[in-house]
Amino acid sequence: MNHLVTVAKQFKSDGNILDVQEYGSGNVNDTFLVTLDSPQEKHFVLQRINTHVFRRPELVMLNMRVFTAHVHERLRREPNSGRRWQVPRVLSAQDGNSHYIDGEGSFWRALSFIDASTSFEQVQSTEHAREVGHALGRFQSLISDLATEKLYDTLEGFHITPRYLQHYDVVLSRNGVTPKTPDVDYGLRFVQERRDWAPVLEDAKSQNKLRLRLIHGDPKVNNIMIDETTGQAVSIVDLDTVKPGLVHYDIGDCLRSCCNPLGEETTDFDAVRFETDLCQAILQGYLPLAQDFLDDNDYAYLYDAIRLIAFELGLRFFTDYLEGNVYFKAKHQEHNLARAIVQFKLAESIERQEAAIRAIIDDLR
Ligand code: GN1
Ligand code: MG
């Protein structure tokens, strides 16, 4: 029997397994969609966790159990808002655990599929952008009353930009840079010119201007599930990085992902731009839900967050290219270099539009 089917059978579900197919476009974990013959549950999501990235995957699952229980309880008590909102459920393995380890030592887990919904690699319209913003606000607000100490830090250094810079310096001094092509040269200069500004959010955190909260960590456009009929956002998936952090990491990540109409994988570098209309729509969806937990300092650092997370992701891709593609899955040798340039071009576009972006933020406060 196919190995994937054998693994899928280790998780409790309502029906027999009809099919297991690769699913989505994750850069870290391997994701599969399992199809069942049961009318109650047509699908579930099966994932092999990248344990090179998530060193303690059992803590990722523990976190997931804790905050999904919290959110399910809040949703149960909340008055009906007339909108569907769902959180994936962790499916137990036959032995009652939240994971299954196969004969090769791979770590597998299963989650329920959000029915009748779909996600997109790029934002489709301003309505879609508004829904993405709504989803992020809804998600953050549902975990805003869960104490940060309840969740483990399952990926130390995640979104701590100065840590990525430190690692970049180590890789550069260890490996050197060969070949020094014009693209590599551009990347080196780009990082050099911005490195003094890179600790901006971490500095604000140390000065107690910004405080830790629970965040999603990866609210990019393809993690927002959209109802197939209503077009409304109904869930955010990819919950591995829900842990303590700054809400700014989330806002920055959401905007760098959603306001880049060409997407992360384009190779048309000169056409990459940050679309301020989409930024406005996302914040229009987000801020009404977030204004209860955002203070003046939070607003003051929003622009920096948008610029920083684009810069940071570019730096992460660039470092990974220089290191030989050890973190992000790459389809070819230069793949992470190309992804880095896209993020750097996006950061430049953000910088050019600083006044307009700050005006949008001020306007919506
Ligand atoms: C990774 O695996 P995926 O695609 O969900 C990465 C994110 C990046 C994203 C860029 C744990 O997410 O931080 O923003 O690639 N996840 C991790 O596409 O590093
Ligand atoms: Mg992810």
Side-chain angles (χ1 to χ4, degrees):
M1 188 171 27
N2 179 325
H3 182 58
L4 287 169
V5 175
T6 316
V7 173
K9 282 197 169 159
Q10 304 302 316
F11 293 92
K12 287 183 192 153
S13 62
D14 274 347
N16 295 312
I17 289 150
L18 295 179
D19 189 33
V20 185
Q21 289 289 332
E22 250 183 89
Y23 184 66
S25 54
N27 291 329
V28 173
N29 296 327
D30 296 322
T31 304
F32 303 89
L33 186 66
V34 178
T35 304
L36 304 165
D37 65 359
S38 149
Q40 288 88 17
E41 192 183 18
K42 287 200 195 90
H43 302 287
F44 70 83
V45 175
L46 180 67
Q47 288 184 299
R48 175 166 41 213
I49 304 301
N50 180 334
T51 49
H52 178 71
V53 170
F54 295 103
R55 303 275 174 157
R56 304 278 312 269
E58 69 288 354
L59 297 186
V60 171
M61 297 316 294
L62 214 61
N63 276 0
M64 223 177 257
R65 289 269 187 202
V66 169
F67 77 80
T68 55
H70 173 85
V71 173
H72 281 129
E73 179 55 24
R74 266 202 56 182
L75 290 170
R76 203 180 58 76
R77 279 186 324 210
E78 218 174 60
N80 188 346
S81 68
R83 278 184 76 123
R84 167 156 94 112
W85 186 263
Q86 277 174 281
V87 184
R89 278 175 297 110
V90 176
L91 305 188
S92 296
Q94 302 296 356
D95 60 5
N97 280 327
S98 300
H99 66 269
Y100 165 73
I101 296 180
D102 71 11
E104 293 153 13
S106 292
F107 187 103
W108 294 88
R109 61 106 187 278
L111 300 169
S112 65
F113 183 73
I114 307 294
D115 219 20
S117 72
T118 182
S119 73
F120 300 88
E121 289 301 317
Q122 275 112 32
V123 165
Q124 308 291 300
S125 62
T126 46
E127 290 71 39
H128 182 202
R130 206 165 292 125
E131 285 302 313
V132 167
H134 175 90
L136 181 60
R138 184 93 165 99
F139 183 88
Q140 286 182 348
S141 116
L142 283 166
I143 51 172
S144 63
D145 58 337
L146 180 65
T148 50
E149 305 80 59
K150 297 268 177 173
L151 300 189
Y152 289 99
D153 186 350
T154 46
L155 195 53
E156 226 200 300
F158 191 53
H159 289 313
I160 312 278
T161 317
R163 292 269 296 257
Y164 293 113
L165 265 179
Q166 244 171 30
H167 182 58
Y168 167 78
D169 289 339
V170 170
V171 170
L172 273 187
S173 63
R174 192 176 55 207
N175 300 10
V177 186
T178 42
K180 209 161 177 225
T181 59
D183 282 348
V184 169
D185 217 38
Y186 165 75
L188 293 170
R189 259 186 299 115
F190 193 89
V191 175
Q192 185 57 33
E193 283 162 13
R194 287 157 185 82
R195 59 181 303 145
D196 291 342
W197 153 81
V200 57
L201 291 183
E202 297 315 306
D203 286 350
K205 190 165 84 185
S206 322
Q207 296 156 10
N208 291 322
K209 291 184 185 159
L210 302 178
R211 62 185 179 86
L212 285 181
R213 298 184 172 106
L214 293 181
I215 62 160
H216 180 278
D218 192 13
K220 56 180 184 176
V221 58
N222 61 9
N223 283 334
I224 316 290
M225 303 306 295
I226 301 291
D227 186 292
E228 280 170 359
T229 318
T230 64
Q232 291 185 330
V234 288
S235 188
I236 303 194
V237 295
D238 191 357
L239 306 173
D240 298 317
T241 49
V242 178
K243 64 185 193 80
L246 298 178
V247 287
H248 295 72
Y249 305 154
D250 270 357
I251 300 161
D253 196 61
C254 186
L255 289 169
R256 67 106 201 128
S257 159
C258 298
C259 304
N260 165 11
L262 296 184
E264 284 175 33
E265 297 290 329
T266 183
T267 49
D268 190 359
F269 304 139
D270 290 331
V272 173
R273 63 178 201 286
F274 181 87
E275 193 60 73
T276 50
D277 287 353
L278 296 175
C279 171
Q280 184 182 38
I282 290 166
L283 292 175
Q284 277 168 347
Y286 172 74
L287 288 173
L289 289 121
Q291 61 197 9
D292 289 350
F293 53 81
L294 296 184
D295 61 26
D296 286 349
N297 273 328
D298 287 328
Y299 281 99
Y301 283 95
L302 283 187
Y303 168 75
D304 277 309
I306 300 167
R307 180 183 171 208
L308 188 70
I309 303 298
F311 168 82
E312 179 192 274
L313 183 59
L315 173 67
R316 293 171 63 199
F317 283 139
F318 190 42
T319 307
D320 203 34
Y321 163 74
L322 296 170
E323 204 177 356
N325 308 313
V326 296
Y327 186 99
F328 296 105
K329 289 188 228 166
K331 296 208 170 79
H332 56 90
Q333 191 60 35
E334 262 80 46
H335 196 169
N336 282 315
L337 176 60
R339 287 165 166 162
I341 294 172
V342 172
Q343 294 305 313
F344 291 157
K345 294 286 178 187
L346 189 66
E348 277 185 43
S349 172
I350 293 168
E351 290 165 0
R352 277 197 304 273
Q353 301 182 87
E354 173 171 355
I357 297 169
R358 286 192 187 276
I360 290 171
I361 296 166
D362 284 347
D363 229 42
L364 291 171
R365 280 185 69 167

